[in-house]
Amino acid sequence: MTEQTTQNHSATPRTALLLGPAFVAAIAYVDPGNVAANITAGAKYGYLLVWVLVAANIVAVMIQYQSAKLGVVTGRTLPQTLGSALPGRRTRLAFWAQAELVAAATDLAEIIGGAIALKLLFGLPLPLGGLIVGVVSMILLATADGRRQRQFETIIVGLLAVIVIGFLTGLVVNPPDVGGLLNGMIPRLQGSETVLLAASMLGATVMPHAVYMHSSLVIDRHGIDNDPGRIRTLLRATRYDVIIALAIAGTVNVALLVLAATSLYGRAGTDSIEGAHAAVSDALGPVVAALFAIGLLASGIASTSVGSYAGGAIMSGLLRRRIPMLVRRAITMIPALVVLLIGVEPTMALVVSQAVLSLGIPFALIPLRRFTADPKRMGEFADSWPLRWGSLAAAVVIVALNLVLIGLTISGALS
């Protein structure tokens, strides 16, 4: 047992002092991919897809709690548990490969988003902006070790506050139509493009790397303890942590879509973040537009750091190998810089990356619900039947949506 764990066990702190890991995980839910998917959805279809974000956030609360609970109860991360459960090295390698692909898609969105923000704020070329975001994230990752976990969490929470202010200001200046917002809560789609957007929004909201990572975050923060009383205390704190953090992230996501539906709907050129920024400036003024860009920059820097943290946890758990975090950061930023250098349209790259994330969700969700429902593994803390059925329903809907997305993608490629 670590010294930190012993200290926490001997003096049970107030619940508020145990909060933090979910706020780090929540950064994954407000990354630049969310901005692209939600702005595109609101600008093109108004309030139509608000229900997707609300449903996705409810699913996210459930899944993140299950991931954190696995770490608290068993003292093992989800990737470690998978690494032990999967048969054979080849199977572990294949599973790791798809998880790393998901992490790469995440990194693509985050660096591109930060680069766009620097271009909007300072006129920097996208490749240079991407490089700056990568370097700044390296500096931030230097605080992401077990001895300075609280420091890392504090920085991330500060960046989350910047994101919230940057993305909510527009709604204060131009409040939404309440009737339209309520109408957007009725589940429906309109054509194949809304399916792609819904999958992108789902992938941007329920993020696989955050599911893998949360079990690692709680262990790094709280240590490992087998005392049932201590576990109950941590699980109670974890519920508050997840609900509060993801309520904030969910509010930001809905605000982005509603901002676009309220201020950008029907405007030409709003199918890109740069166009949306210009439209925001035109409709709401340069101050709101600048705050929007600052929020986007904070989102890119924070989320790319969290993504690298998640990638390290995935590799360590599945392959039992660990490479220095800064080396990983240097390697994983290369694909995003290549995309920026060859001139791929950045907003479309963001939307597509979020669809790729959606394809990776079942690989994290299905094993997770199996592990947390297993009394042999979880003991008295195994999932209750409402959580089991709720996570099963989420898995079925996500897999079905992914199958439709794949079919539409293949059909579009052949036509």
Side-chain angles (χ1 to χ4, degrees):
M1 185 181 298
T2 64
E3 180 181 354
Q4 178 189 13
T5 305
T6 303
Q7 291 172 348
N8 287 341
H9 178 70
S10 61
T12 303
R14 292 176 298 177
T15 298
L17 297 179
L18 298 174
L19 305 183
F23 284 82
V24 177
I27 286 293
Y29 292 82
V30 288
D31 77 346
N34 294 83
V35 179
N38 298 335
I39 288 288
T40 300
K44 286 190 173 183
Y45 296 99
Y47 298 100
L48 177 71
L49 298 177
V50 169
W51 67 272
V52 175
L53 290 179
V54 174
N57 208 66
I58 293 172
V59 172
V61 169
M62 177 175 58
I63 294 172
Q64 293 301 145
Y65 174 69
Q66 286 178 306
S67 176
K69 182 168 77 167
L70 180 70
V72 169
V73 174
T74 69
R76 293 174 61 81
T77 69
L78 175 57
Q80 285 175 331
T81 307
L82 279 164
S84 300
L86 291 172
R89 179 172 175 78
R90 290 185 179 180
T91 305
R92 289 197 301 272
L93 280 170
F95 200 98
W96 168 78
Q98 67 80 27
E100 284 286 1
L101 178 62
V102 166
T106 303
D107 217 39
L108 181 72
E110 292 155 352
I111 290 182
I112 289 177
I116 293 173
L118 287 173
K119 180 181 178 181
L120 295 174
L121 289 168
F122 306 110
L124 296 180
L126 289 175
L128 177 59
L131 181 61
I132 291 173
V133 170
V135 170
V136 172
S137 69
M138 283 185 173
I139 297 172
L140 181 53
L141 280 169
T143 68
D145 60 46
R147 292 167 298 175
R148 291 181 287 182
Q149 186 73 8
R150 288 297 297 271
Q151 181 181 349
F152 180 62
E153 289 176 5
T154 300
I155 295 172
I156 293 297
V157 170
L159 290 170
L160 179 60
V162 174
I163 294 167
V164 171
I165 294 170
F167 290 151
L168 293 185
T169 304
L171 291 183
V172 176
V173 175
N174 187 17
D177 172 27
V178 176
L181 182 59
L182 293 177
N183 190 49
M185 293 292 293
I186 302 173
R188 62 200 189 280
L189 297 169
Q190 290 181 3
S192 59
E193 186 177 14
T194 60
V195 177
L196 175 60
L197 279 172
S200 297
M201 294 159 67
L202 181 65
T205 305
V206 183
M207 303 197 76
H209 77 285
V211 179
Y212 293 120
M213 172 182 61
H214 203 156
S215 53
S216 178
L217 286 168
V218 294
I219 293 172
D220 287 348
R221 172 65 183 280
H222 303 306
I224 300 172
D225 199 319
N226 296 321
D227 177 69
R230 170 66 175 167
I231 290 174
R232 290 189 191 94
T233 298
L234 290 177
L235 290 179
R236 182 169 57 250
T238 296
R239 284 192 288 270
Y240 287 117
D241 196 26
V242 170
I243 290 172
I244 295 171
L246 292 189
I248 294 172
T251 299
V252 171
N253 280 322
V254 172
L256 285 166
L257 187 149
V258 170
L259 172 66
T262 303
S263 303
L264 309 181
Y265 183 60
R267 288 176 176 262
T270 53
D271 55 349
S272 68
I273 291 180
E274 294 97 325
H277 176 265
V280 167
S281 180
D282 180 55
L284 304 177
V287 174
V288 174
L291 289 172
F292 177 88
I294 291 170
L296 180 63
L297 178 61
S299 169
I301 291 173
S303 55
T304 195
S305 304
V306 170
S308 292
Y309 184 109
I314 291 169
M315 174 177 278
S316 175
L318 286 169
L319 302 186
R320 301 182 182 91
R321 292 185 179 180
R322 185 182 295 273
I323 62 175
M325 193 75 74
L326 298 185
V327 174
R328 164 175 282 277
R329 166 73 284 174
I331 295 172
T332 56
M333 64 190 289
I334 293 174
L337 294 179
V338 170
V339 168
L340 292 173
L341 283 169
I342 64 178
V344 175
E345 204 288 308
T347 301
M348 181 51 63
L350 288 176
V351 173
V352 172
S353 73
Q354 301 313 293
V356 172
L357 289 178
S358 184
L359 296 176
I361 295 171
F363 292 97
L365 176 55
I366 293 173
L368 174 64
R369 70 171 302 275
R370 176 187 172 189
F371 294 148
T372 56
D374 182 7
K376 293 181 180 179
R377 191 181 304 272
M378 302 293 290
E380 64 179 284
F381 303 105
D383 288 344
S384 61
W385 70 263
L387 190 54
R388 294 183 190 183
W389 283 104
S391 59
L392 176 61
V396 169
V397 170
I398 290 170
V399 171
L401 182 59
N402 287 336
L403 291 175
V404 172
L405 175 61
I406 293 171
L408 290 172
T409 303
I410 295 174
S411 175
L414 295 177
S415 63

